[in-house]
Amino acid sequence: MKATTCAALVLSALSALSTAFAEDPTSYLRSSSTQRDLQVELPNHFCWVPFFGCERDNCETVTPLAAGEFNLTKYTEKSWFIQKQQVNPYQSEDQLNCVVATYNERDDGFIQVQNSGTIGGVDGPRQNSDSDSFFSDLCAQQVDGGSLQVAPCLFQVAFSAVAGPYWVLALGEDGDEYTWAIVSGGQPTEVKETVDGRTFCTTKQGNSFLDTNGSGLWLFTKEQVADDQTIAAMEDKLTEMGIFTGDLLPVEQESCTYPDSTKY
């Protein structure tokens, strides 16, 4: 993309943003459609900028589950144990132990996010997302169906402006309960390999806080330790979508203890 074209797209998006913000800043920034309405296609080095959606033309497009395929209350009623995931700007490989995600719906339309794991092994020091600093206190908000967005809770007024995508791409069910979930930090943009003419991509891993939005790929289960068949089924599902699975690392869940907030 030529620099002049890119600059024009940036100015166009910023112009739309400033006009809507000036008319009603509070309602505009709280709107769940804001982020989607202002997405434009830009080179990948602009992907960290809020409102700009970046895609590689040769990566297959993936979409979160539609409204009729996703029930938020069912999704949040119990904690999720992470079986495999990619590293990301806030989780290095030595932090992939006893990782559990707990979500609680709030009365104000937000979801309280509590992520927890241990460092260096199952007996290592525990790290929680709801401690240490204001930026660690995380909230989520449903956009539509399995499309959610996540950001520090202190940004609630301007949530859509700073939040990163959290997409539930697929779910397993047993009766009235979800049993597994595949979660992506948005559209995969990183080309990893081409097999028989088909390109496989994944989300970025990143190396700074600017890379947080758009990073991450996780395999969730309601069971603390999932069997090999369940994990294989999730990886097969990712392959069907054109998502590369080679960067997924196992998360140790055997012999773990979890926070009191964990819901079984």
Side-chain angles (χ1 to χ4, degrees):
M1 181 182 292
K2 293 182 179 179
T4 53
T5 304
C6 183
L9 286 170
V10 172
L11 291 174
S12 175
L14 290 176
S15 176
L17 168 61
S18 61
T19 300
F21 183 84
E23 292 176 354
D24 189 349
T26 300
S27 296
Y28 177 73
L29 290 172
R30 285 187 180 276
S31 171
S32 63
S33 62
T34 295
Q35 193 172 25
R36 290 174 295 165
D37 291 345
L38 288 176
Q39 284 187 335
V40 296
E41 186 178 342
L42 295 171
N44 274 11
H45 54 271
F46 282 101
C47 288
W48 63 272
V49 182
F51 305 111
F52 295 156
C54 305
E55 295 183 12
R56 296 268 182 90
D57 289 339
N58 43 357
C59 291
E60 296 186 23
T61 300
V62 302
T63 56
L65 294 172
E69 302 171 308
F70 180 83
N71 183 299
L72 182 62
T73 299
K74 187 188 297 188
Y75 187 78
T76 59
E77 66 184 358
K78 293 183 180 180
S79 296
W80 289 99
F81 300 94
I82 289 68
Q83 304 300 324
K84 279 190 171 184
Q85 68 167 89
Q86 290 182 178
V87 297
N88 53 58
Y90 51 90
Q91 283 178 300
S92 59
E93 187 170 352
D94 71 338
Q95 294 172 302
L96 304 186
N97 309 282
C98 308
V99 183
V100 60
T102 300
Y103 307 108
N104 291 293
E105 293 185 74
R106 304 188 339 186
D107 293 336
D108 60 359
F110 286 91
I111 302 155
Q112 193 70 43
V113 179
Q114 295 173 293
N115 295 325
S116 178
T118 60
I119 303 171
V122 298
D123 297 321
R126 179 161 295 283
Q127 192 173 44
N128 299 309
S129 64
D130 57 354
S131 61
D132 298 330
S133 74
F134 289 116
F135 288 97
S136 296
D137 188 22
L138 295 176
C139 284
Q141 187 179 55
Q142 187 176 27
V143 177
D144 184 53
S147 174
L148 293 88
Q149 50 191 6
V150 178
C153 298
L154 67 91
F155 293 120
Q156 285 182 31
V157 173
F159 201 76
S160 293
V162 299
Y166 173 113
W167 290 1
V168 182
L169 301 181
L171 288 166
E173 290 188 77
D174 183 8
D176 293 330
E177 184 174 289
Y178 292 142
T179 55
W180 57 260
I182 297 173
V183 177
S184 174
Q187 169 65 40
T189 58
E190 302 298 307
V191 176
K192 301 300 290 190
E193 66 177 7
T194 300
V195 179
D196 296 330
R198 187 181 183 191
T199 299
F200 290 85
C201 302
T202 190
T203 51
K204 61 183 176 180
Q205 296 189 14
N207 51 25
S208 80
F209 77 97
L210 293 176
D211 295 318
T212 299
N213 288 359
S215 67
L217 182 65
W218 299 267
L219 304 185
F220 287 9
T221 66
K222 289 293 179 66
E223 289 185 320
Q224 177 181 338
V225 179
D227 57 52
D228 292 341
Q229 291 83 357
T230 299
I231 294 173
M234 288 189 280
E235 291 181 326
D236 288 345
K237 194 70 175 178
L238 284 170
T239 300
E240 289 177 17
M241 298 177 191
I243 299 177
F244 181 70
T245 62
D247 288 340
L248 290 169
L249 299 176
V251 177
E252 183 59 60
Q253 297 288 0
E254 290 275 7
S255 305
C256 289
T257 56
Y258 302 98
D260 293 339
S261 59
T262 304
K263 300 185 293 186
Y264 297 94

